Amino acid sequence: TENPVKGVDVFISDQHGELTLLDMMEASANGKIPDDMPNTIVSDDDGDWRVNEQVVEEYDIVKHRIRWKKIPRVALSTVTPFQNTYGCPFKCGFCNFSLTKVHKKDMGMLMDELLELAEQGVSETVWFTDDNFFLNEKLIIEFCERFIEIGAPFAWNSFVRASSISPKTVDLLKRSRCSLLILGLESGSQTILDNMWKKDTVEHYAESIKLLVEADIDLELSFIFGYPGECERTVQETMEFINKVPTSPTQRSYLYLFKFNVLPLSPVFEQDEREKWGLTGNFADWRHDTMQSDQVQGFLKTVAQTAEPTVFNYIDPAMGLDRRQMKDVMVGRDKLARHILANGNTDDQAAV
């Protein structure tokens, strides 16, 4: 097909692709982009694409260990991204990351890396970027105990499954200087959680959030609206769940709202699931037996405007704001932040 992406010569096509990328960069540096390299899709002189042979890359996360002492201090940030695992063993219906093999460094290697990073004296917070670092309660306990033991001088943030949260893990999270956790709750309706194959309950979600708020750990809570089975009743259940999120004077719960997308390689994309839900369409343009994609915009706006206990921290384009309106929101947020910094309060309505 004709190349619709101007200025792009090569796509890397592999679940990992790092080795292919390195080979392609080396070839490009030598002045030629090969047209037959495995795991690549190459644009030819006529603007058409050539899809080359797929050869699965061997992936060894141990070889991806970062040598932090070799990185110049000026290249480091006070907030440092850090990867310990790759992959996710779960099968949430909406997700196209599901059922990838999990690779992880052993705990000794992880602690060695963290100590090496600490010696650089730059990082104040480590942000674990893993798809699913804490797969279960046991891993949280092991990590937190080791982190406390080595005395790492920084706070840390991570994704976490709500199913891993318990009174014991929350105590360890707090003592190990966990400052923020991201929870992909996705719905406050048990009906939708079951449809998504989330394997958790609204009641456990509520208890997990309560424990984390009481421990003064900030949260990012994400929700998806429009998954098959979604209707006005289930949206209302999610709104009620959000509005029951507890608050404290210092802890912050950020709210992230997303429109459901029908993604290739996700379980719900497959024909049997489509037939089950009457699902047609792809990506952001779809309809199923209980909703169509155009309805979601209104629900997102309503939730964003009425979710009082949380800090609304993400603006999805699906809410229907154009670029000018998005900029107005950002400028308004900036003005308010500057006012608080200068005055210590938000009493002056002119600041809003």
Side-chain angles (χ1 to χ4, degrees):
T1 59
E2 183 180 352
N3 182 357
V5 189
K6 305 302 181 184
V8 175
D9 299 310
V10 181
F11 286 99
I12 306 299
S13 175
D14 185 82
Q15 182 177 350
H16 299 285
E18 290 91 344
L19 299 179
T20 303
L21 177 61
L22 288 173
D23 290 342
M24 183 58 72
M25 291 172 66
E26 183 177 0
S28 178
N30 291 329
K32 179 172 175 58
I33 294 178
D35 60 8
D36 59 352
M37 182 180 290
N39 301 335
T40 63
I41 303 172
V42 183
S43 176
D44 62 22
D45 293 337
D46 297 325
D48 295 328
W49 292 106
R50 170 178 172 145
V51 180
N52 290 312
E53 178 188 9
Q54 288 290 125
V55 179
V56 176
E57 283 192 6
E58 292 295 325
Y59 183 81
D60 183 356
I61 198 168
V62 173
K63 295 180 180 178
H64 289 252
R65 184 201 190 287
I66 304 297
R67 305 293 176 180
W68 295 101
K69 61 185 176 183
K70 294 186 177 182
I71 299 176
R73 294 180 76 253
V74 295
L76 295 174
S77 169
T78 55
V79 179
T80 304
F82 196 108
Q83 183 182 30
N84 183 56
T85 65
Y86 174 90
C88 180
F90 300 102
K91 192 180 179 182
C92 298
F94 54 84
C95 183
N96 59 359
F97 293 171
S98 62
L99 293 183
T100 53
K101 182 179 178 181
V102 176
H103 304 261
K104 65 185 181 72
K105 302 169 187 174
D106 66 60
M107 199 61 67
M109 176 179 289
L110 170 59
M111 295 301 146
D112 287 345
E113 275 197 61
L114 289 170
L115 285 172
E116 192 173 296
L117 175 62
E119 290 174 2
Q120 293 281 54
V122 176
S123 298
E124 297 176 3
T125 300
V126 168
W127 193 299
F128 291 104
T129 60
D130 308 45
D131 298 327
N132 241 319
F133 184 7
F134 296 120
L135 298 175
N136 53 50
E137 186 175 350
K138 179 182 177 182
L139 280 175
I140 291 184
I141 293 171
E142 183 181 9
F143 169 80
C144 291
E145 288 179 343
R146 292 292 298 277
F147 194 88
I148 293 168
E149 180 182 325
I150 68 172
F154 28 65
W156 59 275
N157 306 333
S158 178
F159 288 88
V160 69
R161 285 184 66 85
S163 57
S164 302
I165 300 301
S166 69
K168 182 174 182 178
T169 57
V170 169
D171 176 65
L172 283 168
L173 288 165
K174 182 64 176 177
R175 290 198 286 121
S176 64
R177 298 184 63 196
C178 173
S179 58
L180 181 144
L181 291 173
I182 306 167
L183 281 76
L185 304 182
E186 317 314 356
S187 181
S189 166
Q190 192 62 52
T191 298
I192 301 303
L193 293 181
D194 294 343
N195 291 355
M196 291 176 168
W197 308 340
K198 284 293 291 182
K199 296 183 179 180
D200 212 331
T201 66
V202 172
E203 290 77 18
H204 183 252
Y205 279 179
E207 178 61 22
S208 299
I209 292 171
K210 178 175 179 290
L211 290 170
L212 291 166
V213 170
E214 289 174 349
D216 211 34
I217 296 173
D218 291 342
L219 303 175
E220 292 184 358
L221 310 174
S222 70
F223 295 87
I224 295 172
F225 289 83
Y227 193 84
E230 190 88 271
C231 59
E232 289 191 13
R233 174 183 59 81
T234 60
V235 170
Q236 183 61 38
E237 289 172 350
T238 297
M239 291 173 63
E240 291 172 358
F241 177 89
I242 290 171
N243 283 318
K244 291 179 181 177
V245 170
T247 60
S248 83
T250 54
Q251 188 273 349
R252 296 163 294 177
S253 293
Y254 300 105
L255 184 63
Y256 286 71
L257 310 177
F258 297 94
K259 177 182 179 179
F260 166 62
N261 274 242
V262 183
L263 300 176
L265 304 181
S266 65
V268 78
F269 183 84
E270 301 303 322
Q271 189 60 35
D272 58 343
E273 284 294 294
R274 286 179 176 273
E275 293 175 359
K276 176 181 178 181
W277 301 111
L279 176 63
T280 59
N282 294 302
F283 299 100
D285 186 12
W286 48 261
R287 65 184 307 134
H288 52 67
D289 289 341
T290 57
M291 188 172 289
Q292 62 185 41
S293 55
D294 291 347
Q295 294 175 263
V296 177
Q297 177 179 319
F299 291 131
L300 291 177
K301 284 184 177 180
T302 299
V303 176
Q305 292 168 348
T306 60
E308 295 181 3
T310 54
V311 177
F312 182 56
N313 202 46
Y314 177 77
I315 303 171
D316 194 303
M319 291 183 186
L321 300 182
D322 59 28
R323 287 175 59 85
R324 171 71 177 273
Q325 291 169 320
M326 294 276 281
K327 180 178 179 180
D328 288 345
V329 171
M330 296 302 179
V331 170
R333 179 184 292 176
D334 179 71
K335 287 181 178 178
L336 181 57
R338 291 170 186 268
H339 175 80
I340 293 172
L341 288 172
N343 302 282
N345 62 66
T346 58
D347 293 338
D348 184 1
Q349 295 299 313
V352 181

